[in-house]
């Protein structure tokens, strides 16, 4: 379902975009396509940030992938960081815990806005904390989870 190769390609795409000083502005699964060659294609560019374009944000993106404090004036090449981290963490978790993935949820892979509002009360974060996976994978997921939680403070 989600290979480490695809997860790595997503990570590399996000890093490359930020290095170029651009951002999608509304990263979420419905705006990310994967073709038959496993190439990632981004769609829906109405929030796209291009430096020195004079454009302003038209929206803040899918609420399940945005930091709780994101406002429309937060519009620069860094606006994809939180959503990219959420997607990356979701892909890593799904690769380790496919039982947590519900393909009926179209608006989010795993995490929802509610998980980020009060992370300590999130059932998903709790489930990940109590996971009985290998120490290496649990450590990586815990590090990513802690990073997301720190960003929410």
């Amino acid at each position: 379902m989600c290979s480490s190769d695809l997860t790595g390609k997503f990570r590399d795409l996000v890093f490359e975009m930020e290095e170029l000083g651009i951002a999608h502005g509304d990263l979420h699964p419905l705006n990310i396509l994967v073709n038959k060659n496993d190439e990632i294609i981004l769609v829906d560019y109405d929030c796209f940030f291009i430096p020195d374009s004079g454009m302003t944000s038209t929206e803040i993106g899918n609420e399940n992938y945005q930091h709780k404090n994101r406002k429309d004036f937060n519009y620069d090449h860094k606006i994809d960081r939180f959503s990219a981290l959420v997607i990356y963490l979701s892909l890593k978790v799904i690769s380790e815990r496919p039982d947590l993935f519900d393909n009926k949820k179209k608006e989010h892979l795993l995490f929802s806005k509610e998980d980020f509002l009060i992370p300590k009360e999130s059932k998903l974060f709790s489930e990940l904390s109590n996971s009985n996976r290998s120490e290496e994978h649990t450590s990586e997921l815990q590090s990513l989870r802690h990073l997301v939680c720190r960003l929410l403070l």
Side-chain angles (χ1 to χ4, degrees), residues 22-46:
I22 60 176
H24 184 274
D26 190 16
L27 282 179
H28 63 83
L30 297 177
N31 287 342
I32 303 169
L33 306 177
V34 180
N35 69 15
K36 63 182 179 181
N37 298 321
D38 282 344
E39 296 169 324
I40 297 173
I41 301 163
L42 301 179
V43 297
D44 188 6
Y45 298 112
D46 58 337

Side-chain angles (χ1 to χ4, degrees), residues 8-22:
K9 285 181 181 183
F10 174 74
R11 179 199 59 226
D12 294 345
L13 173 65
V14 170
F15 284 154
E16 183 177 359
M17 287 174 53
E18 189 165 327
E19 285 176 9
L20 292 170
I22 60 176

Side-chain angles (χ1 to χ4, degrees), residues 64 82 86 111-119 125 148 152:
N64 293 304
F82 187 79
V86 170
F111 301 96
S112 68
K113 175 184 176 181
E114 289 74 28
D115 292 309
F116 302 127
L117 290 176
I118 309 174
F125 278 133
V148 170
L152 294 170

Side-chain angles (χ1 to χ4, degrees), residues 21 42 48 75 87 106:
L42 301 179
F48 207 87
Y75 191 61
I87 293 167
K106 301 296 182 197

Side-chain angles (χ1 to χ4, degrees), residues 66-123:
Q66 300 305 321
H67 191 281
K68 64 183 179 179
N69 295 327
R70 176 156 177 213
K71 306 289 184 233
D72 60 357
F73 58 80
N74 301 120
Y75 191 61
D76 61 18
H77 69 288
K78 300 174 191 172
I79 57 175
D80 288 337
R81 285 183 177 176
F82 187 79
S83 52
L85 183 59
V86 170
I87 293 167
Y88 184 77
L89 176 58
S90 297
L91 293 173
K92 295 295 270 184
V93 169
I94 291 168
S95 71
E96 289 297 309
R97 295 286 311 273
D99 59 298
L100 294 176
F101 179 66
D102 180 357
N103 66 359
K104 293 179 185 100
K105 295 178 181 176
K106 301 296 182 197
E107 287 297 310
H108 53 90
L109 290 170
L110 288 180
F111 301 96
S112 68
K113 175 184 176 181
E114 289 74 28
D115 292 309
F116 302 127
L117 290 176
I118 309 174
K120 291 179 182 177
E121 295 180 14
S122 164
K123 290 180 184 177

